PDB file of all heavy atoms in Angstrom:
ATOM      1  N   HIS B 298      70.370  73.496  89.691  1.00 93.00           N
ATOM      2  CA  HIS B 298      71.152  72.774  90.623  1.00 93.00           C
ATOM      3  C   HIS B 298      70.313  72.464  91.882  1.00 93.00           C
ATOM      4  O   HIS B 298      69.651  73.314  92.307  1.00 93.00           O
ATOM      5  CB  HIS B 298      72.413  73.507  91.041  1.00 93.00           C
ATOM      6  CG  HIS B 298      73.301  73.834  89.899  1.00 93.00           C
ATOM      7  ND1 HIS B 298      74.244  72.933  89.439  1.00 93.00           N
ATOM      8  CD2 HIS B 298      73.433  74.961  89.138  1.00 93.00           C
ATOM      9  CE1 HIS B 298      74.955  73.489  88.414  1.00 93.00           C
ATOM     10  NE2 HIS B 298      74.439  74.697  88.233  1.00 93.00           N
ATOM     11  N   VAL B 299      70.363  71.214  92.359  1.00 92.00           N
ATOM     12  CA  VAL B 299      69.620  70.858  93.518  1.00 92.00           C
ATOM     13  C   VAL B 299      70.539  70.143  94.491  1.00 92.00           C
ATOM     14  O   VAL B 299      71.278  69.290  94.137  1.00 92.00           O
ATOM     15  CB  VAL B 299      68.393  69.958  93.107  1.00 92.00           C
ATOM     16  CG1 VAL B 299      67.589  69.523  94.383  1.00 92.00           C
ATOM     17  CG2 VAL B 299      67.510  70.496  92.134  1.00 92.00           C
ATOM     18  N   GLY B 300      70.483  70.629  95.714  1.00 91.00           N
ATOM     19  CA  GLY B 300      71.272  70.016  96.744  1.00 91.00           C
ATOM     20  C   GLY B 300      70.641  68.850  97.468  1.00 91.00           C
ATOM     21  O   GLY B 300      69.540  68.428  97.069  1.00 91.00           O
ATOM     22  N   ALA B 301      71.354  68.243  98.463  1.00 90.00           N
ATOM     23  CA  ALA B 301      70.839  66.995  99.061  1.00 90.00           C
ATOM     24  C   ALA B 301      69.501  67.185  99.709  1.00 90.00           C
ATOM     25  O   ALA B 301      68.683  66.200  99.654  1.00 90.00           O
ATOM     26  CB  ALA B 301      71.916  66.516 100.098  1.00 90.00           C
ATOM     27  N   GLN B 302      69.249  68.289 100.350  1.00 88.00           N
ATOM     28  CA  GLN B 302      67.909  68.432 101.008  1.00 88.00           C
ATOM     29  C   GLN B 302      67.051  69.432 100.199  1.00 88.00           C
ATOM     30  O   GLN B 302      65.980  69.906 100.740  1.00 88.00           O
ATOM     31  CB  GLN B 302      68.133  68.949 102.415  1.00 88.00           C
ATOM     32  CG  GLN B 302      68.886  67.984 103.312  1.00 88.00           C
ATOM     33  CD  GLN B 302      68.917  68.493 104.762  1.00 88.00           C
ATOM     34  OE1 GLN B 302      67.840  68.909 105.268  1.00 88.00           O
ATOM     35  NE2 GLN B 302      70.087  68.397 105.373  1.00 88.00           N
ATOM     36  N   GLY B 303      67.473  69.829  99.039  1.00 81.00           N
ATOM     37  CA  GLY B 303      66.809  70.790  98.287  1.00 81.00           C
ATOM     38  C   GLY B 303      65.703  70.224  97.354  1.00 81.00           C
ATOM     39  O   GLY B 303      65.592  68.963  97.182  1.00 81.00           O
ATOM     40  N   VAL B 304      64.800  71.059  96.894  1.00 79.00           N
ATOM     41  CA  VAL B 304      63.816  70.599  95.922  1.00 79.00           C
ATOM     42  C   VAL B 304      63.989  71.541  94.752  1.00 79.00           C
ATOM     43  O   VAL B 304      64.425  72.700  94.907  1.00 79.00           O
ATOM     44  CB  VAL B 304      62.395  70.756  96.420  1.00 79.00           C
ATOM     45  CG1 VAL B 304      62.130  69.591  97.479  1.00 79.00           C
ATOM     46  CG2 VAL B 304      62.083  72.078  97.025  1.00 79.00           C
ATOM     47  N   PRO B 305      63.594  71.171  93.518  1.00 77.00           N
ATOM     48  CA  PRO B 305      63.667  72.063  92.370  1.00 77.00           C
ATOM     49  C   PRO B 305      62.863  73.336  92.653  1.00 77.00           C
ATOM     50  O   PRO B 305      61.838  73.247  93.417  1.00 77.00           O
ATOM     51  CB  PRO B 305      63.073  71.253  91.222  1.00 77.00           C
ATOM     52  CG  PRO B 305      63.346  69.806  91.578  1.00 77.00           C
ATOM     53  CD  PRO B 305      63.290  69.787  93.073  1.00 77.00           C
ATOM     54  N   ILE B 306      63.321  74.416  92.124  1.00 72.00           N
ATOM     55  CA  ILE B 306      62.820  75.740  92.586  1.00 72.00           C
ATOM     56  C   ILE B 306      61.349  75.911  92.261  1.00 72.00           C
ATOM     57  O   ILE B 306      60.580  76.591  92.996  1.00 72.00           O
ATOM     58  CB  ILE B 306      63.665  76.808  92.046  1.00 72.00           C
ATOM     59  CG1 ILE B 306      63.477  78.141  92.741  1.00 72.00           C
ATOM     60  CG2 ILE B 306      63.457  77.045  90.490  1.00 72.00           C
ATOM     61  CD1 ILE B 306      64.608  79.116  92.597  1.00 72.00           C
ATOM     62  N   GLU B 307      60.849  75.321  91.136  1.00 69.00           N
ATOM     63  CA  GLU B 307      59.445  75.458  90.768  1.00 69.00           C
ATOM     64  C   GLU B 307      58.557  74.852  91.830  1.00 69.00           C
ATOM     65  O   GLU B 307      57.523  75.413  92.254  1.00 69.00           O
ATOM     66  CB  GLU B 307      59.117  74.825  89.404  1.00 69.00           C
ATOM     67  CG  GLU B 307      59.969  75.329  88.278  1.00 69.00           C
ATOM     68  CD  GLU B 307      61.336  74.640  88.230  1.00 69.00           C
ATOM     69  OE1 GLU B 307      61.390  73.423  88.634  1.00 69.00           O
ATOM     70  OE2 GLU B 307      62.284  75.291  87.774  1.00 69.00           O
ATOM     71  N   GLU B 308      58.930  73.620  92.389  1.00 65.00           N
ATOM     72  CA  GLU B 308      58.074  72.990  93.397  1.00 65.00           C
ATOM     73  C   GLU B 308      58.098  73.788  94.683  1.00 65.00           C
ATOM     74  O   GLU B 308      57.067  73.875  95.395  1.00 65.00           O
ATOM     75  CB  GLU B 308      58.677  71.611  93.699  1.00 65.00           C
ATOM     76  CG  GLU B 308      58.530  70.578  92.573  1.00 65.00           C
ATOM     77  CD  GLU B 308      59.281  69.236  92.833  1.00 65.00           C
ATOM     78  OE1 GLU B 308      59.254  68.924  94.027  1.00 65.00           O
ATOM     79  OE2 GLU B 308      59.816  68.693  91.922  1.00 65.00           O
ATOM     80  N   ASP B 309      59.318  74.467  94.997  1.00 63.00           N
ATOM     81  CA  ASP B 309      59.432  75.186  96.233  1.00 63.00           C
ATOM     82  C   ASP B 309      58.479  76.423  96.197  1.00 63.00           C
ATOM     83  O   ASP B 309      57.867  76.762  97.236  1.00 63.00           O
ATOM     84  CB  ASP B 309      60.867  75.678  96.302  1.00 63.00           C
ATOM     85  CG  ASP B 309      61.258  76.120  97.736  1.00 63.00           C
ATOM     86  OD1 ASP B 309      60.584  75.600  98.645  1.00 63.00           O
ATOM     87  OD2 ASP B 309      62.193  76.874  97.878  1.00 63.00           O
ATOM     88  N   ALA B 310      58.331  76.947  95.003  1.00 59.00           N
ATOM     89  CA  ALA B 310      57.499  78.186  94.943  1.00 59.00           C
ATOM     90  C   ALA B 310      56.016  77.845  95.051  1.00 59.00           C
ATOM     91  O   ALA B 310      55.201  78.652  95.467  1.00 59.00           O
ATOM     92  CB  ALA B 310      57.753  78.911  93.595  1.00 59.00           C
TER      93      ALA B 310
END
Side-chain angles (χ1 to χ4, degrees):
Chain B
H298 299 277
V299 181
Q302 298 186 45
V304 289
I306 198 158
E307 303 81 33
E308 292 175 33
D309 200 21

